[in-house]
Every structure is written in structure tokens, then in C-alpha cells.
Amino acid sequence: MGSASAADGPTVPEGPRAGERPGRTLERALAQGPVLLDGGLSNQLEAQGCDLSDALWSARLLADGPEQIEAAHAAYVRAGAQVLITSGYQATFQGFERRGIGRAEAEELFARSVRLARRAAGAVERDVWVAASVGPYGAMLADGSEYRGRYGLSVRELERFHRPRIEALTAAGPDVLALETVPDIDEAEALLRAVEGCGLPVWLSYSVAGDRTRAGQPLEDAFALAAGRDQVLAVGVNCCDARDADRAVRVAAGAADKPVVVYPNSGERWDAGRRAWAGAPTFDPGRTSAWRSAGARLIGGCCRVGPDLVAELAGMLGQPVAEQPEERTTGRPGG
């Protein structure tokens, strides 16, 4: 693995706002109207020729190919994305340690994940926010357990796992923390405890199946966990079938009384045995109108939703597109 002290290696021109924060807070932007998220990072990286057959997935490229991560972020900025989710979904101190990366070096990689997104965001003359991805405990295990939850750990144990990474990401200066692909209520509670006092707003996003969390809990109970927590600027779902997102948006809006975040997958399913995608895509940018009517304010895509579909979402939301995105991309689950 490459050294974390190597130059990040920009792949896009640094515009006049490179490295600067947006002029508005994301919370203020949400109060003014819908905000467009990016799409799946891993599928865009694979479209660029990156090999992600690794337990760290896209997080490996923080050391081995940071220029690829920046290029992937830039593709979504060109497609009209207003929020870039960093490449830290699979990044943890424990995962890096297994690769011989010590704590100080790992902290630099967390900071790099934010820096790369910020630099890509600065290539355009409009507000683009950076959301630091905080994936679930199961993502570190790299065995698919983030889609099952119920790891056999207590809320306190999960909080102890998440807090050091959250502290490292907070120090890197993102605009918001994305507590994403959360499979159950216990982990959501642990994450919300871990972010207390960090000084950053967060969104809480569950991975769901039907009308329940991946762990089988009612969505009403899951979303209600965010009610009354001022630090949570949005609550909703990601990494799920777009058809499941339809109902989830309505439930989230009613249960939490907050703006809703929604960024589902393409609808195809990952067959781990065959290591291939199966099924037909169900992601339709036309669903955006219903999501907005139900309370969605942060809208985008997750796995297999590439710059082309994000550009279509931009059109639906009235956002500018800098240039025509490349052809539809492919990918595998994960950040």
C-alpha cells in the first residue's frame, strides 16, 4: 500500500474556490429547497478502471490511487451533484491496521478523503458540500453483515467502535457527517451517541428491505430515533431498492418531522457467489417528484447509480449540469 504522505495528485483544475467551504450551510440550503446528492462511488471508480476486489473497497485508493477518487468526485460534480460523499465508507482504524497502517497514517487517510472531495467541489462556481461517510460496523467486517445488522455487540460497544473514526473525520473539516447504510436501531443509537459534541450536523440513513430495517425493525421506530435531535438535519434511507424508498420517505417524514434523505441503489442485486449483478434496474428519476412531495430534500443515488442518472436527477431538480456525463457505469456494492 502506498504511503499516506504521498501527494494527493489532483486530476481536475483547481478553481477559484478549491478547498473553500460553501457560502451557505447545508441546513440552510435544505430549508430553501431540494439538494442533489452524488451517486455510487464504487461504480464510478470501476468505470475508471480501478480494481476494488479488496476488503477495503474504495478506501484502499485513499493510499494507492487518490487521484482516481478525486476524478470520480469530479464526474459527479460535472453531473450536477451538490453534495459529495467521501470515500470513507469502508475506512476504519481496524481495517487500516490489518494492512499495517498505524493510527497517525490512518488519520491522514481520513483527512485525505475529505480533502479530495473538497478539491473536486472547488472546481465549479456553485455551492458543493462535502459529507464524510461513516459506514456501519459491518462494512469493516467486509462480509455483508452491514445488510443484516444485529452483530451481537451492545450499543456501548458500537459507540466505542465508531467514536475514534468520527473524531478523525470531524477534525478533517467536512460540512456534514453521513451516518449511512445503517442496518438497525441499535447501531443508529450508537452512532448518534458517538457524534454528540462533535460540532457537525449529521444525516442518519438506514438500509431497508420492504417496510423494515435490514435487521427487521419497524421503520417508524427507526426514524423516530432522530426526532428531537437538533444535530440531525435529515433522516431517511440509502442502499435499498428504489421501490422500498417510496414508502420509506413518507414514513421518515412523519416519524421524525425532519427533511428526508433518500439515495437508493439502481435496483439490481449483487450476487456474492457469482460476483455479478442480477435483476433489472428499477431506479427511475421520475420518482423524484413523489419523494419531494413526501418530504425528501436530500436526493441522489447509491450503488450502480452513476453520473448519467445523477444528471437526470439534476434536470428533475432544476440543477445545472456542467457537461454531459460519461456512459452508464457499473460497479459492486459498497463505498
Side-chain angles (χ1 to χ4, degrees):
M1 202 170 237
S3 169
S5 63
D8 292 350
T11 59
V12 296
E14 293 198 14
R17 295 188 53 188
E20 295 182 9
R21 290 178 179 271
R24 299 176 293 167
T25 64
L26 182 55
E27 184 176 19
R28 181 180 175 189
L30 292 177
Q32 296 171 337
V35 174
L36 179 62
L37 297 171
D38 58 9
L41 184 63
S42 62
N43 47 259
Q44 179 58 27
L45 288 168
E46 290 198 334
Q48 293 169 193
C50 299
D51 178 8
L52 302 183
S53 57
D54 183 278
L56 288 176
W57 286 349
S58 58
R60 177 184 65 80
L61 296 176
L62 286 170
D64 291 353
E67 71 285 350
Q68 293 285 0
I69 293 175
E70 187 176 347
H73 287 319
Y76 285 114
V77 172
R78 291 194 299 271
Q82 297 170 279
V83 178
L84 298 176
I85 303 174
T86 67
S87 52
Y89 173 83
Q90 200 85 358
T92 62
F93 284 110
Q94 293 84 347
F96 285 138
E97 185 178 12
R98 288 197 292 265
R99 297 304 182 86
I101 296 176
R103 189 175 187 86
E105 197 173 359
E107 288 176 347
E108 165 57 23
L109 293 178
F110 286 123
R112 177 175 289 180
S113 72
V114 174
R115 194 162 59 240
L116 292 169
R118 185 75 74 191
R119 193 158 59 195
V124 293
E125 290 287 348
R126 56 181 168 84
D127 286 338
V128 179
W129 293 269
V130 172
S133 175
V134 181
Y137 174 83
M140 181 270 295
L141 301 177
D143 62 358
S145 59
E146 72 260 46
Y147 298 111
R148 299 187 296 270
R150 298 190 181 279
Y151 314 112
L153 300 178
S154 68
V155 171
R156 186 177 296 275
E157 288 171 322
L158 288 168
E159 179 186 353
R160 284 200 297 266
F161 167 79
H162 284 296
R163 187 178 293 276
R165 174 173 51 156
I166 286 168
E167 290 173 348
L169 288 170
T170 298
D175 301 299
V176 60
L177 297 178
L179 314 180
E180 59 176 351
T181 326
V182 180
D184 64 38
I185 294 176
D186 284 351
E187 185 155 30
E189 175 65 34
L191 283 162
L192 291 174
R193 290 185 187 182
V195 299
E196 288 179 358
C198 77
L200 287 175
V202 306
W203 79 63
L204 174 62
S205 181
Y206 291 91
S207 177
V208 304
D211 61 355
R212 293 182 174 267
T213 67
R214 292 284 186 167
Q217 300 137 333
L219 292 186
E220 291 86 349
D221 296 342
F223 296 136
L225 198 63
R229 297 181 187 251
D230 293 340
Q231 190 175 7
V232 181
L233 58 78
V235 64
V237 295
N238 78 290
C239 209
C240 62
D241 191 293
R243 292 168 296 194
D244 291 339
D246 293 347
R247 180 177 184 275
V249 169
R250 297 192 299 271
V251 175
D257 192 27
K258 289 181 179 290
V260 176
V261 55
V262 54
Y263 51 118
N265 295 335
S266 70
E268 297 156 280
R269 300 181 308 280
W270 177 252
D271 185 327
R274 294 176 50 240
R275 299 187 63 78
W277 289 93
T282 59
F283 188 98
D284 178 5
R287 295 178 184 269
T288 303
S289 295
W291 292 342
R292 288 180 63 181
S293 297
R297 291 297 177 268
L298 275 169
I299 301 171
C302 201
C303 299
R304 300 276 285 183
V305 176
D308 60 323
L309 286 174
V310 170
E312 289 188 49
L313 288 174
M316 298 290 296
L317 298 177
Q319 303 299 336
V321 178
E323 63 181 59
Q324 187 65 31
E326 298 174 359
E327 294 181 0
R328 182 161 300 182
T329 56
T330 59
R332 55 170 288 182

